[in-house]
Amino acid sequence: MTCEETLILDGAAKSKEIYKEIKTEVEKLNKEEEVVPRLSIIFVGDNPASASYIKLQQKVCTKVGIDSKVVNLPKNISQEGLLAELDKINNDDSINGILIQLPLPAHIDDDKIIRKINPSKDLDSFHPYNIGELVIGGDAYIPCTPEGVMALLDKYKIGVKGKDVTIIGHSNIVGKPMALLLLNRNATVSVCHIDTKDTAKYTKKSDIVIVAAGVPNLITADMIKEGAVVIDVGINEVDGKIVGDVDFENVKKKAAAITPVPGGAGPMTIAMLLKDTVKSCKNMLNK
Ligand code: GUN
């Protein structure tokens, strides 16, 4: 495998195809049902990375015709205050999807908030009901990043059945649901994390490596099997530049396919958020 043959998995281009499909669906809902899908984003405080991510989400929502509203709450809001705000949105029938932007301030107990999200609007699949559905292969919400990775693999017709896959990172938002999605499609999955003794032992034998650790250059060429598929979910800022968790230039020389950062897994995450907002809107109309 030479560098020239490596397939670059272009999430930016593939997400645009999905936006087009969503826009058509939204126009149909506007015309036939006289409804506009609505997303509510709860943003506590003023974390600059979260603020710019929310701006991007809203820009894309506007493009496809989804109405998005940010509920920006002060960073010193009490747990009870936040729960009261969430309750209003949970019970507002005009809102189809809720996204609680993480991280929440340290004094807020994330777990208590997550358990109070209306599961039928829980686009992130934070609520135990939705993540439980994923365990048994049910049709509930799937966290947007792993859902986006699966959609990207599907777009490029990269099958996972019977493949050896290693995931690096075992977060509730990415690593764990990623493992479940792959298991549900009969991949053989290993999950490595910060306490794994020898991550390379797993990655070296894997057909697909998915990394979501938040550590630049964590995955180097010597850790990858010739011809593997490498999906980089990391987003890190190094010297003012956004990079992933993979040593892209060197790993690219060995991989059959690889995602760039930015422009790989990231845009697919937002595409899934929009898709799931429309899905919720249809569910609420019983369509
Ligand atoms: N912050 C970083 N990633 C995510 C995500 O996937 N969902 C939410 N709600 N917040 C995040």
Side-chain angles (χ1 to χ4, degrees):
M1 176 66 54
T2 64
C3 174
E4 287 74 40
E5 289 166 28
T6 306
L7 177 64
I8 303 298
L9 303 172
D10 188 347
K14 295 297 176 191
S15 65
K16 284 193 185 121
E17 291 175 17
I18 298 170
Y19 297 156
K20 254 193 204 157
E21 292 161 15
I22 296 170
K23 190 163 187 266
T24 307
E25 276 190 69
V26 171
E27 283 165 0
K28 198 160 171 249
L29 284 167
N30 296 159
K31 207 166 140 203
E32 293 176 7
E33 306 290 338
E34 295 181 350
V35 295
V36 176
R38 287 184 76 200
L39 167 68
S40 185
I41 301 170
I42 300 180
F43 178 26
V44 183
D46 53 7
N47 178 310
S50 293
S52 65
Y53 187 51
I54 289 170
K55 231 186 203 170
L56 182 62
Q57 286 170 334
Q58 287 201 286
K59 193 173 141 194
V60 189
C61 278
T62 306
K63 258 190 202 161
V64 301
I66 290 174
D67 180 26
S68 68
K69 187 166 167 260
V70 179
V71 179
N72 195 185
L73 301 167
K75 70 170 153 231
N76 62 355
I77 192 167
S78 65
Q79 176 100 1
E80 292 68 33
L82 177 53
L83 284 172
E85 290 293 334
L86 176 58
D87 223 34
K88 279 190 228 161
I89 301 167
N90 275 340
N91 295 314
D92 182 340
D93 287 340
S94 75
I95 293 170
N96 307 115
I98 302 172
L99 184 138
I100 301 176
Q101 186 62 40
L102 299 183
L104 290 168
H107 69 279
I108 302 280
D109 182 344
D110 291 15
D111 188 60
K112 288 216 167 75
I113 304 295
I114 282 166
R115 287 170 191 275
K116 289 286 183 191
I117 305 175
N118 179 343
S120 66
K121 299 183 182 182
D122 174 28
L123 306 179
D124 273 310
S125 188
F126 283 161
H127 192 282
Y129 172 86
N130 286 318
I131 210 76
E133 281 284 346
L134 179 56
V135 173
I136 60 168
D139 178 29
Y141 293 111
I142 296 166
C144 298
T145 299
E147 189 182 17
V149 170
M150 293 309 286
L152 190 61
L153 291 171
D154 288 344
K155 285 264 178 201
Y156 282 96
K157 300 199 172 12
I158 297 171
V160 300
K161 186 176 167 182
K163 299 270 176 74
D164 291 324
V165 184
T166 293
I167 299 164
I168 297 132
H170 69 333
S171 69
N172 288 344
I173 304 186
V174 184
K176 288 186 205 168
M178 190 78 251
L180 290 166
L181 283 169
L182 290 160
L183 265 180
N184 288 346
R185 293 229 208 141
N186 278 11
T188 303
V189 184
S190 304
V191 182
C192 299
H193 46 74
I194 191 143
D195 288 320
T196 299
K197 287 201 289 272
D198 185 1
T199 297
K201 185 174 100 183
Y202 297 90
T203 56
K204 272 180 187 168
K205 68 167 180 59
S206 289
D207 305 305
I208 302 175
V209 173
I210 302 172
V211 54
V215 180
N217 286 323
L218 182 69
I219 302 301
T220 47
D222 57 309
M223 296 170 76
I224 296 294
K225 185 170 87 170
E226 196 83 34
V229 173
V230 180
I231 308 285
D232 191 350
V233 178
I235 299 176
N236 311 291
E237 197 179 324
V238 175
D239 301 330
K241 261 185 72 184
I242 298 296
V243 298
D245 292 348
V246 174
D247 173 6
F248 180 81
E249 287 309 325
N250 290 310
V251 172
K252 190 175 79 167
K253 292 174 191 159
K254 246 178 136 177
I258 187 168
T259 54
V261 176
M268 295 299 288
T269 298
I270 299 183
M272 295 302 110
L273 176 70
L274 307 184
K275 182 172 132 313
D276 291 343
T277 304
V278 174
K279 172 177 162 173
S280 176
C281 182
K282 286 182 175 171
N283 285 346
M284 286 170 78
L285 290 164
N286 278 324
K287 290 230 121 229

